[in-house]
Amino acid sequence: MAIVVPGVTLSSCGLTMPVIGMGTSSSPPVAPETTKAAIIEAIKAGYRHFDTAFAYRTEQPLGEAIAEALHLGLIKSRDELFITSKLWSSFAEKDLILPAIKMSLRNLQLDYIDLYLIHWPLKLSQEVRQMPVIREHIFPLDIKSVWEGMEECKNLGLTKAIGVSNFSCKKLEELLSTAKIPPAVNQVEMNPLWQQKKLREFCKARDIHVSAFSPLGANNTKWGDNRILECDVLEQIAKAKGKTTAQISIRWLYEQGVSTIAKSFNKERMKQNLDIFDWSLTEEESNKISQLPQRKGITFESILGPHDLVLELDAETLNEY
């Protein structure tokens, strides 16, 4: 029996987004067929929100999986799904944004995306083919003009909502000072060991919904680790409740009013990650989690290299904590 995932209404546009989405980024990358098969299994399990990006190279297999799910009758209409994709940093220039979203729509075989996000708060040269990058290939993001391009995507009906990813309070403030359409979502790293309290308060006061990636610490990726899944406090709570540490982390995020992008291509864990709605954490358990020592897992430096602009972005996030 598929689990029905509740939705959250995005204040700035009235759109309803399922509170748990399935991530499609794999590091190292997997074959497109593997991604497609996992997405079809996820639809069977009850997932209706899928998170992709041009940079993940999973838009195409996601599009194929949606077409197959429709053909198999797993869903009656594309409108049953909520699809998030992201503007890659090499296209973070006003004139390149419309061509970029149209390319994503072609990859996905869709007429519209539900949510289109600016992937990173910086611009990269189109020559970038691998990470880390050389300093000459990194530029500051012209937030005003890039956001105008994002607004155009929404005004043309190519996406129902627009937002950002990996933005600090400082970057959001800059965006809000000129935006005609406010960002609906800020997708950031968040989990019990990186709780983002200040950013959450900032976003809540401005009706920006926070969505969490790496809810499980991005275990089994080159930039993540197993510190969530092997955290003693979370393990003890999980054991006492007969749950997994992953379920405790996702439930904790849900109780903070945050949506979650959880990635597992394992059929059993996929189902477990959705099974968090008919139980709750006690006040004592929540207090224990709120006191966990905090450390950011993923930095721009670890991906792009130790360049001044990159270190500046990391410092912004860390200084706000």
Side-chain angles (χ1 to χ4, degrees), residues 39-308:
I39 291 164
I40 289 167
E41 284 304 326
I43 290 173
K44 288 177 184 172
Y47 286 85
R48 292 296 179 267
H49 177 185
F50 292 91
D51 181 89
T52 185
F54 176 82
Y56 303 162
R57 297 180 184 172
T58 56
E59 289 176 331
Q60 221 158 339
L62 173 55
E64 288 169 11
I66 294 168
E68 190 160 321
L70 284 162
H71 177 70
L72 294 171
L74 299 175
I75 50 171
K76 290 185 179 68
S77 152
R78 176 268 180 262
D79 299 348
E80 290 177 36
L81 301 179
F82 189 102
I83 307 298
T84 298
S85 195
K86 306 177 191 78
L87 174 78
W88 181 232
S89 304
S90 300
F91 309 129
E93 210 173 296
K94 191 175 180 181
D95 296 344
L96 299 179
I97 297 170
L98 271 184
I101 194 171
K102 285 176 179 175
M103 182 162 50
S104 288
L105 288 167
R106 279 195 303 275
N107 288 341
L108 290 158
Q109 303 175 47
L110 298 177
D111 297 326
Y112 70 89
I113 292 167
D114 293 276
L115 176 63
Y116 197 48
L117 307 176
I118 297 175
H119 204 144
W120 282 349
L122 50 78
K123 184 187 157 193
L124 294 176
S125 157
Q126 297 215 1
E127 291 169 50
V128 169
R129 293 289 174 272
Q130 60 183 44
M131 307 285 172
V133 302
I134 57 170
R135 174 62 184 92
E136 290 70 30
H137 285 170
I138 308 174
F139 309 92
L141 184 72
D142 181 349
I143 289 181
K144 184 179 185 293
S145 72
V146 168
W147 191 250
E148 284 169 1
M150 296 291 285
E151 289 174 329
E152 192 180 357
C153 293
K154 184 177 187 309
N155 291 333
L156 290 171
L158 301 175
T159 181
K160 290 190 170 185
I162 49 177
V164 295
S165 184
N166 301 292
F167 269 48
S168 62
C169 299
K170 188 179 174 186
K171 288 280 180 289
L172 284 170
E173 215 141 43
E174 191 184 330
L175 190 162
L176 289 166
S177 69
T178 61
K180 291 185 181 74
I181 302 170
V185 169
N186 185 18
Q187 190 187 110
V188 294
E189 178 189 358
M190 185 179 159
N191 53 56
L193 297 182
W194 187 243
Q195 296 182 11
Q196 297 270 33
K197 286 176 188 168
K198 186 176 174 186
L199 181 72
R200 273 190 284 140
E201 283 165 17
F202 180 95
C203 288
K204 191 178 180 182
R206 289 155 185 84
D207 283 334
I208 301 169
H209 176 75
V210 174
S211 198
F213 69 75
S214 295
L216 313 177
N219 193 31
N220 291 329
T221 66
K222 61 185 173 190
W223 57 77
D225 55 35
N226 58 3
R227 65 204 174 102
I228 299 282
L229 299 179
E230 293 186 5
C231 168
D232 289 345
V233 171
L234 297 177
E235 277 185 337
Q236 285 160 13
I237 295 170
K239 201 174 173 187
K241 297 184 99 66
K243 304 292 176 189
T244 66
T245 43
Q247 286 173 314
I248 300 301
S249 179
I250 295 169
R251 176 71 202 187
W252 176 81
L253 286 162
Y254 176 60
E255 292 186 8
Q256 310 314 303
V258 166
S259 60
T260 299
I261 304 300
K263 188 250 161 181
S264 177
F265 284 3
N266 175 290
K267 208 164 152 182
E268 212 41 54
R269 285 197 292 273
M270 215 185 260
K271 289 177 186 167
Q272 286 173 351
N273 289 347
L274 287 187
D275 189 13
I276 60 126
F277 299 111
D278 59 356
W279 53 275
S280 56
L281 296 166
T282 65
E283 199 176 332
E284 188 189 351
E285 288 163 345
S286 294
N287 287 341
K288 277 183 184 169
I289 293 171
S290 71
Q291 287 160 27
L292 286 168
Q294 298 294 294
R295 178 170 68 83
K296 187 161 175 35
I298 305 163
T299 61
F300 283 114
E301 182 192 359
S302 67
I303 301 169
L304 294 165
H307 310 297
D308 52 355

